[in-house]
Each structure stands twice: as structure tokens, then as C-alpha cells.
Amino acid sequence: MTVPEIPQAVRDLTAAGIRSVEVFANSLRRDERAAGAVASDSLKVRAIRAVKDTEPGMAVMTDNCRCGHTDTGECHLTVGARIDLEATAALTAAQAVIQAGAGADIVGPAAMTRGTTRAVRQALDEAGHRDVATMPHLIFDSALYEGYRTTMRATPTSGTRRPFRISPRSPETAVDTGLAFLDEGAHMLLLEPGMPSVDVLASLRVRTAAPLMPFSVSGEYTRLAPPDPATGQRDFRPLAELFTMLKRAGADRIITYAALDLARLHA
């Protein structure tokens, strides 16, 4: 949707009892240093403001990432062939401060690198945004992101898996990484994709009282709730079963593209 369409969408969400949204934006400004990520008038900044201007009580979550801002579709800044972790953390922190200034309530560092959450927390505090929460993304490597990557023009030109995403064969790494993010000052964790991370969700639930938020990504939505070829209607029962499982495993909230549909079905 476009920014002028956001107010009506927010009113629809509010009427259905939904109290929070995560804002994504497809940046048109892309370069090797991801300058658009920290532009004060970026599409995401304008989208956040549109949500808060329409419904100040709606909690706004964001992702802090560069894959939609670099000309390579990569999440990290580089120096030659080397990933520049320090510059990536600094840019993530600056992006978080700008999003917080626009009205974001929860910012989500998505670089999956140690130390970035601490840098974001420090930058937010120094800028006077102590009430803005941090929700770093705990991300498994998965084919379920492909629809999102195509839509957002965020497929890495390297053609390889993103370097810091966790192998599905290493759940213990995911648990250790999530706990490390919490030690750096994170208030909560986003786990994605939702279904493949259920065992990590359950493991973290017994290790921390911090809110855990599975994100049911685009591939789960399109595969578990495909439109009927004849009517265009979607059957949301498989997604509802998935979300019931995630709640059993310890999810505090679930982020999903189907939120409005499910809220209307169960009103």
C-alpha cells in the first residue's frame, strides 16, 4: 500500500482489536552505503508517522536492516570483500534513532551480529528514547523468505545465504544468540520463520521471561493460506493451527500477514 492508504488500514486494524503493527517499506533509494536507511524523509519514516498520526495508541514495530537500502541487497556494509561490522552496527543504531523519532515504539535490529543490539540501545538512550524497546530478530536461514525478498528487491546479488543467519541444523546456536541479544539489553526477541523456529521458541521460553514474538513470514502465509483458484478466498485454518502450536510453545505474541483476517474470523 501507499502512505495515503495507511490511515484507513490502521482504522480497520483498530476496529478489529489489533493493537500493534510492524512496518516494512520498499526503499527506492539504494546505494553501497545504504544512505536511505537513515534518511529523515524515508518511506518507512513517513509510514510510521502515518500510523501514529491516525492512531497514537497503535504500537509500531520496525525492522532495522539494510537489505532494502543497499544496491546489492545485502544486510551488511562492506569494505572491499570484507563485512564491516562496526559500520553496520553504527548505521543500524542511527536508523533505530530515526525510526524512534518518527514514533516507533519497538525497533528491531536484524543484522544478526553480536554487539549491534547494545549499540542500538546505547544510541536510543543517548537520544532520549529510553522508552523505545529493542526487539532483535533471531533469524534462521530459510526458503520461506523468497516472496518477501522478491517484493522488496532484497535478494543478495552474491547469490549466497546471508552470512549471519543461523543454520536450521544448529538450534543451540539460535538459543545462545537469542540469550546474547538479551544480555546486550534487548527487551524481547522476534523469531523467524515462525514454524521452523518452534523448538528454539520452546527452549528459550524455559530460559527467559522476556517476551518472545514468532514472525510467521511471507512463505508461511502463501503456503498455508493460499487463495482458492475459483473464489480467491483463503482458508486460514492451517495458519490458525500453526499459531496455536506457537502459543503452546511459549509465544507471547505472533506477527503475521493474516492478522486482520484472523481477527475478523474470530470476532
Side-chain angles (χ1 to χ4, degrees), residues 122-140:
Q122 182 177 347
L124 289 170
D125 291 347
E126 290 175 353
H129 298 300
R130 295 183 179 276
D131 293 336
V132 174
T134 53
M135 181 177 65
H137 295 197
L138 189 60
I139 308 173
F140 276 110

Side-chain angles (χ1 to χ4, degrees), residues 33 58 60 66 93 116 137 158 177 221 248:
R33 304 308 293 174
M58 180 72 76
V60 173
R66 279 121 320 273
T116 298
H137 295 197
S158 62
T177 301
Y221 178 76
R248 290 200 311 264

Side-chain angles (χ1 to χ4, degrees), residues 141-163:
D141 191 41
S142 173
L144 293 170
Y145 304 120
E146 295 310 314
Y148 174 85
R149 284 182 174 184
T150 300
T151 300
M152 301 295 283
R153 296 183 294 126
T155 301
T157 56
S158 62
T160 61
R161 64 182 292 270
R162 299 198 189 279

Side-chain angles (χ1 to χ4, degrees), residues 27-257:
S27 175
L28 299 178
R29 178 180 177 182
R30 297 167 188 253
D31 56 54
E32 63 179 5
R33 304 308 293 174
V38 290
S40 60
D41 62 344
S42 70
L43 183 59
K44 182 170 288 189
V45 165
R46 288 182 281 126
I48 294 168
R49 288 174 177 157
V51 174
K52 300 302 276 191
D53 287 347
T54 304
E55 183 56 59
M58 180 72 76
V60 173
M61 301 174 285
T62 70
D63 68 325
N64 302 132
C65 196
R66 279 121 320 273
C67 62
H69 298 280
T70 57
D71 53 7
T72 60
E74 302 287 354
C75 291
H76 307 90
L77 300 181
T78 59
V79 176
R82 180 179 63 83
I83 293 174
D84 190 335
L85 294 178
E86 184 176 348
T88 298
L91 184 65
T92 304
Q95 184 186 37
V97 169
I98 288 173
Q99 292 176 355
D105 302 283
I106 302 170
V107 296
M112 283 290 294
T113 52
R114 304 290 178 96
T116 298
T117 298
R118 181 177 292 109
V120 168
R121 182 71 267 158
Q122 182 177 347
L124 289 170
D125 291 347
E126 290 175 353
H129 298 300
R130 295 183 179 276
D131 293 336
V132 174
T134 53
M135 181 177 65
H137 295 197
L138 189 60
I139 308 173
F140 276 110
D141 191 41
S142 173
L144 293 170
Y145 304 120
E146 295 310 314
Y148 174 85
R149 284 182 174 184
T150 300
T151 300
M152 301 295 283
R153 296 183 294 126
T155 301
T157 56
S158 62
T160 61
R161 64 182 292 270
R162 299 198 189 279
F164 294 100
R165 287 189 174 175
I166 298 170
S167 168
R169 299 180 181 87
S170 303
E172 67 284 350
T173 300
V175 172
D176 290 344
T177 301
L179 294 174
F181 289 162
L182 292 171
D183 286 343
E184 290 181 25
H187 294 87
M188 58 196 77
L189 296 174
L190 180 150
L191 295 82
E192 59 174 290
M195 185 163 56
S197 64
V198 66
D199 57 328
V200 173
L201 167 65
S203 295
L204 283 169
R205 184 71 294 158
V206 300
R207 301 280 297 274
T208 179
L212 302 175
M213 314 281 200
F215 175 23
S216 181
V217 300
S218 59
E220 292 172 285
Y221 178 76
T222 56
R223 288 167 173 79
L224 294 179
D228 183 276
T231 66
Q233 299 297 310
R234 296 179 184 270
D235 180 0
F236 291 101
R237 289 176 296 176
L239 271 180
E241 292 175 12
L242 165 60
F243 299 158
T244 300
M245 176 182 68
L246 293 174
K247 287 293 291 182
R248 290 200 311 264
D252 293 276
R253 296 286 187 272
I254 297 166
I255 302 171
T256 171
Y257 293 90

